[in-house]
Amino acid sequence: QLGGAVVLVPLAVLVWLTVGRRRSLKASFAFLVLTVGGQFAIADLVKWVVDRTRPDFDRLTGFSGPSFPSGHATASACCLAAFALLIGVGRSPRVQAVLASVAVALAAGIACSRVFLGVHWLTDVIGGLVLGWTWFAICSIAFGGRLLDFARPAEVMEQTVRALLGP
């Protein structure tokens, strides 16, 4: 269940409360709601549109719904990357690299476990990882990465364009 909502949502709350002591609680909360909540919604929408059947062989665990993309792979890729970003803010590049590496390794491990359990095709988990990391990247860009200031990149780009083109 590590890649499921039962674990990731409480973990998101724990990360928010821990990180909120060092950063803006509102920005961290909005970022987590958008990344965590959004990836669940997007994965469900893609599942509904694609409606791919699951593998038809011995499964080692229960499952529900369509197969593509893997919800566990999507959720773990997106959420663990978001947690690593928030926890890594203000820390050394070495710590940030370790956090990112752990997030990627855990997400890949969770994705592999879904194939080993017989509930997903390999392409389901690859698609889930890509979808999760893509949604994380979109949310991170929207919030200015480590700045966690929504729309900040747009303001910086606007200032840069004004400086180049003049008044």
Side-chain angles (χ1 to χ4, degrees), residues 106-120:
L106 283 173
I110 291 166
C112 288
S113 76
R114 305 309 290 169
V115 175
F116 294 146
L117 291 171
V119 294
H120 284 289

Side-chain angles (χ1 to χ4, degrees), residues 2-77:
L2 184 57
V6 174
V7 172
L8 290 176
V9 171
L11 194 55
V13 172
L14 181 65
V15 167
W16 174 63
L17 291 173
T18 303
V19 170
R21 295 179 190 172
R22 296 182 298 133
R23 301 291 294 171
S24 166
L25 274 175
K26 287 182 185 179
S28 300
F29 179 76
F31 176 72
L32 284 172
V33 166
L34 186 63
T35 54
V36 175
Q39 64 80 25
F40 284 121
I42 290 171
D44 286 346
L45 176 65
V46 173
K47 280 180 181 279
W48 178 75
V49 169
V50 175
D51 196 29
R52 182 178 190 184
T53 59
R54 292 187 181 260
D56 191 19
F57 47 83
D58 293 334
R59 296 177 186 100
L60 300 175
T61 188
F63 65 92
S64 64
S67 187
F68 184 88
S70 165
H72 283 78
T74 304
S76 61

